[in-house]
Amino acid sequence: MKAIVLAAGLGKRMKSSLPKVVHKILGKPMVNWVISSIFEAGIKTEDITVVTGYRAELVEELLPEGIKNVRQQEQLGTGHATIQAMETINSDDQILVIPGDVPFIEPETLKMLVRESAEGFEAIVLTMKLDNPAEYGRVIEQNGRIRIIEAKDASPEEKEINEVNTGIYIFDSQFLRDALKKLSPNNAQGEYYLTDVVQFAKKAKRVILNDPQESLGINDRVQLSKAQRVAQQRINHKHMLNGVTIIDPENTYIGPDVIIGKDTIIEPMTFIYGNTTVGERCNIGPFTRVFDSTIQNDVTIVRSEIDRAMVHSHCSIGPFSRLRPGAVLLEEVKIGNFVEVKKSTIGKGSKAQHLSYIGDSEVGENVNVGAGTITCNYDGKKKHRTVIGDGAFIGSNTALVAPVNIGKETVIGAGSVITEDVPDYSLGLGRAKQVNKVDRYRKSEKGE
């Protein structure tokens, strides 16, 4: 089975400078929702072709490695887009054709269509029944042939039909190649409609979708908002049934690829997106954002941001902390208020409780980083490393000017600027001499 994902359109009603399929639902672009379902249906990466068009580079940079793409230089309709894709497909496999803006299509539905295709049909059309079909193309079956009438081309009588096209098909590859040659742009849009291909099939089948929400199309920002609400409800419901406590599901946002362990509590206004894994018995939030990170068991995160970081078990983060890409906290680390960690490893049992920046650093075990400590990692041209040994104590308001090594069990005096290495078991001081100017400042007797 091969798959063609149609993702070339602008999506005029989105009123956006971005292609429609790159707009996100719970942190994941629409086109990637579709590709994930195709993967789970058993179609391999190398068997998927994505047709891009408007601002193609924005779509292509989102595609998983190994997926082919072809550009539709002129947006002349879905039929024309399919022609472009078929030029890259040389096998005789069946062809799944699917829009890039149907994020909720279930893998089981696609598997069902694949099973139906084994019966030798030239075309299988996935349809659904709607009380208000609106802009959807109507599906008509007569004398064993299936026709799809686009809403703009439908007569008043045809618009009364409530069975509509989802835009998802499976075609016999040779039939599709032949039928595409017969297309013409004689319609209201002046485009080559893929829907016209179906009428040429002598052996075609309609398969009616049980849950119309699966093929929920997204054409404007209102529909995008509704889709996000549908996704939010489904995902949160699944996690709660799996043993996760979500205090306020309507104000908690969890992406479709997130894994959360049982007995974890998610507080309101928490956003967990990307390829994130959260362990068991954690407490996340409120007002917390986590993206593409791994959080092990028994971790507490309060009012903080975790971005592409690794947090081991029994850590405490926040409030108002920020872990940036490359941050690794080993077991039992405490990162407190207004502390930022970037591209650094913090050793087991170490603490940075207040107002500090740790960047490009290697911090050992049981280190205490005092309030206001800064690792000065950037000299204006290059980034440099700071290494702090096990058991070191860094006094408050210290600047560690990298590259620099602080020895194990070393103490750095508060207010120091350290520019040279400090050996193990030492006291490091880097202060200017204090000078007192007596009677240089005195308030007047009137208090002025």
Side-chain angles (χ1 to χ4, degrees):
M1 179 68 66
K2 306 293 185 183
I4 297 172
V5 181
L6 304 179
L10 161 62
K12 294 180 181 178
R13 282 177 284 175
M14 296 295 287
K15 295 201 170 41
S16 174
S17 61
L18 303 175
K20 177 168 65 171
V21 298
V22 309
H23 287 270
K24 295 179 180 179
I25 298 172
L26 294 177
K28 184 172 182 174
M30 273 191 265
V31 68
N32 290 94
W33 282 75
V34 174
I35 290 171
S36 292
S37 290
I38 294 172
F39 283 159
E40 291 181 44
I43 300 176
K44 298 178 182 178
T45 304
E46 60 268 24
D47 293 329
I48 301 173
T49 299
V50 178
V51 183
T52 59
Y54 175 72
R55 301 198 68 183
E57 70 283 356
L58 297 181
V59 181
E60 290 161 8
E61 69 184 15
L62 300 173
L63 303 179
E65 186 175 352
I67 286 181
K68 298 189 292 290
N69 73 273
V70 59
R71 292 191 178 184
Q72 184 187 24
Q73 300 297 343
E74 293 183 87
Q75 275 71 70
L76 300 177
T78 52
H80 179 257
T82 306
I83 291 171
Q84 311 302 301
M86 289 299 291
E87 292 177 356
T88 71
I89 298 174
N90 299 317
S91 74
D92 293 326
D93 290 345
Q94 300 289 91
I95 310 291
L96 166 69
V97 182
I98 185 170
D101 63 348
V102 286
F104 302 142
I105 192 68
E106 291 287 346
E108 287 305 317
T109 298
L110 299 181
K111 289 179 183 178
M112 178 265 293
L113 291 178
V114 171
R115 289 193 296 270
E116 292 284 352
S117 70
E119 300 298 321
F121 292 100
E122 293 174 318
I124 296 174
V125 184
L126 184 65
T127 71
M128 59 183 174
K129 291 186 176 181
L130 299 175
D131 294 334
N132 180 18
E135 74 272 14
Y136 286 91
R138 291 358 184 227
V139 178
I140 301 170
E141 184 168 2
Q142 292 176 332
N143 302 320
R145 296 287 185 102
I146 297 173
R147 289 191 304 128
I148 300 171
I149 310 297
E150 294 293 341
K152 291 181 179 180
D153 300 310
S155 68
E157 293 78 15
E158 289 168 336
K159 287 182 178 179
E160 294 300 317
I161 297 170
N162 72 343
E163 185 176 354
V164 300
N165 178 34
T166 65
I168 300 172
Y169 318 87
I170 290 185
F171 295 110
D172 173 81
S173 59
Q174 190 55 55
F175 162 78
L176 183 58
R177 286 190 180 91
D178 294 339
L180 287 170
K181 297 174 183 176
K182 303 176 185 178
L183 293 183
S184 68
N186 296 324
N187 50 61
Q189 295 288 89
E191 296 180 347
Y192 295 88
Y193 289 162
L194 182 61
T195 51
D196 289 346
V197 164
V198 177
Q199 66 185 314
F200 302 127
K202 295 178 181 178
K203 190 177 181 182
K205 182 174 183 178
R206 299 155 32 242
V207 176
I208 300 175
L209 189 61
N210 290 327
D211 181 5
Q213 279 192 332
E214 277 193 52
S215 63
L216 184 67
I218 299 169
N219 295 305
D220 57 37
R221 306 293 181 125
V222 174
Q223 292 175 346
L224 181 66
S225 175
K226 290 179 180 178
Q228 171 136 314
R229 181 65 67 184
V230 169
Q232 179 187 17
Q233 290 171 346
R234 288 183 175 186
I235 291 170
N236 290 352
H237 183 74
K238 178 192 72 174
H239 284 298
M240 288 187 287
L241 291 181
N242 287 337
V244 177
T245 296
I246 300 178
I247 302 299
D248 185 357
E250 292 187 359
N251 289 294
T252 301
Y253 304 86
I254 301 172
D257 300 317
V258 173
I259 298 170
I260 304 177
K262 64 183 180 181
D263 294 322
T264 283
I265 299 172
I266 311 296
E267 301 280 356
M269 295 308 299
T270 292
F271 303 77
I272 308 177
Y273 289 159
N275 294 311
T276 294
T277 299
V278 179
E280 299 181 358
R281 299 177 302 279
C282 295
N283 198 314
I284 312 295
F287 300 100
T288 292
R289 179 182 179 273
V290 183
F291 176 74
D292 270 359
S293 297
T294 298
I295 298 167
Q296 294 187 349
N297 300 331
D298 301 291
V299 171
T300 298
I301 304 173
V302 180
R303 292 183 179 86
S304 296
E305 179 161 330
I306 317 297
D307 182 6
R308 288 165 284 177
M310 173 73 191
V311 180
H312 287 252
S313 298
H314 299 283
C315 289
S316 173
I317 301 166
F320 308 112
S321 303
R322 185 183 183 199
L323 303 188
R324 290 171 57 194
V328 178
L329 309 187
L330 300 183
E331 293 84 357
E332 300 173 12
V333 166
K334 293 184 179 180
I335 299 296
N337 49 287
F338 301 103
V339 174
E340 180 176 350
V341 181
K342 169 254 179 188
K343 203 175 180 180
S344 299
T345 298
I346 312 296
K348 180 179 179 180
S350 292
K351 302 175 183 178
Q353 299 274 47
H354 320 280
L355 303 160
S356 295
Y357 171 70
I358 302 172
D360 296 279
S361 300
E362 188 76 29
V363 179
E365 296 184 0
N366 298 310
V367 171
N368 188 90
V369 177
T373 295
I374 302 296
T375 57
C376 306
N377 56 326
Y378 185 50
D379 66 4
K381 294 182 179 179
K382 295 181 180 179
K383 299 288 182 70
H384 300 282
R385 300 285 293 174
T386 297
V387 178
I388 302 175
D390 294 346
F393 182 96
I394 311 300
S396 297
N397 202 32
T398 291
L400 303 174
V401 183
V404 69
N405 290 273
I406 307 301
K408 63 182 180 182
E409 297 189 35
T410 281
V411 174
I412 303 299
S416 293
V417 177
I418 302 297
T419 59
E420 298 179 359
D421 293 351
V422 181
D424 297 345
Y425 311 109
S426 300
L427 170 63
L429 295 171
R431 302 170 181 160
K433 181 179 179 180
Q434 179 173 327
V435 176
N436 294 331
K437 301 292 184 178
V438 179
D439 284 337
R440 288 287 294 272
Y441 177 78
R442 182 192 297 273
K443 291 183 179 181
S444 68
E445 294 181 359
K446 296 181 179 180
E448 297 179 353

